[in-house]
Amino acid sequence: MPLSPPSPNLYGSWEALADGLQVQRLALHLPQLREQLLTPPPSVTLLAQTPPSMLTTRPAALAEPAAEAVVAQAGLQHWLRLPAAYGTADAGTNPLAASADQVADTLLEGVTDPAVRAAVAAVCAAAAWWVGAFAVIRHLGVHHSSLQPVDSEIALETLQSATSIVALGTAQRILAEQLRTAAADEAVRMAYCRAITESIVIESRLPELLEELGELRLVDLVSTSIPWRGRFTKYAGGTGAGQVE
């Protein structure tokens, strides 16, 4: 007999657990992050291509005051607060930022509500910081399945793909919450439909991307960001993604 799918409340709990885990991991590894920003190891190929301080460039602050409430409704205050607190200033343009901005531009086509536009753009921009921050300390982590130290190289293009997915997931949360709690217009509804469609298209490429990312923190950040069949597999199986920490 097939099992019933998890309830929406259970999915919401898992989403909150995933959020908390990302915050916990950042808090636990702030000393290592600061150390890597000051003295990046020359043996890490990615950091030789891109200064780590650029990967953690502080995103621009919200320019639309009403957007703060939109972000709060979606439970994503932490998503903006931590990059604002720990992002590096005047470090140049984050090489992951364009991937995040492209997601926002695609989803927001036709959307005129300034608060929604600013909120979506902000969470997408923050996605570049989160991926970048975990990328800087990737070589200090473990493989997501074997839990062995990570010694493989990673391409900037892989991180750009990861950024697009994380940006898509957080933007989708903003749009979904607007549809649930506000009198969203048709443009917002269409933006949400575009986000869902993009998630479906991406799903077939996710397993390969996760293997390219390899490292536990990055894999969990990406794999829990958008709805797909493997999103909360660890939680459903009772294997607890936070057990390493």
Side-chain angles (χ1 to χ4, degrees), residues 131-216:
V131 174
F134 285 146
V136 168
I137 57 174
R138 174 183 179 270
H139 61 288
L140 302 175
V142 297
H143 190 272
H144 70 102
S145 58
S146 70
L147 302 186
Q148 296 301 307
V150 172
D151 56 7
S152 60
E153 297 179 357
I154 189 170
L156 186 59
E157 291 79 4
T158 299
L159 292 176
Q160 290 168 336
S161 296
T163 299
S164 296
I165 292 173
V166 177
L168 178 63
T170 49
Q172 185 173 317
R173 288 174 62 175
I174 294 287
L175 297 169
E177 192 62 24
Q178 285 299 293
L179 294 178
R180 280 193 292 264
T181 63
D185 58 25
E186 187 61 23
V188 173
R189 191 175 302 277
M190 289 303 299
Y192 177 73
C193 290
R194 282 194 290 272
I196 292 293
T197 301
E198 287 296 318
S199 296
I200 294 171
V201 171
I202 285 169
E203 179 165 351
S204 64
R205 303 201 304 269
L206 256 178
E208 181 181 357
L209 175 63
L210 297 180
E211 285 307 310
E212 290 175 3
L213 292 168
E215 195 269 333
L216 179 67

Side-chain angles (χ1 to χ4, degrees), residues 28-94:
L28 286 172
H29 298 289
L30 273 175
Q32 291 95 327
L33 178 62
R34 293 192 182 105
E35 182 180 348
Q36 300 306 309
L37 293 176
L38 291 173
T39 56
S43 59
V44 180
T45 302
L46 171 67
L47 303 188
Q49 295 171 342
T50 303
S53 59
M54 289 179 64
L55 288 169
T56 57
T57 298
R58 183 179 302 141
L62 274 173
E64 174 60 50
E68 294 182 8
V70 175
V71 172
Q73 280 182 349
L76 288 167
Q77 302 99 312
H78 69 282
W79 192 251
L80 303 187
R81 186 173 63 248
L82 295 176
Y86 300 111
T88 47
D90 303 321
T93 301
N94 188 331

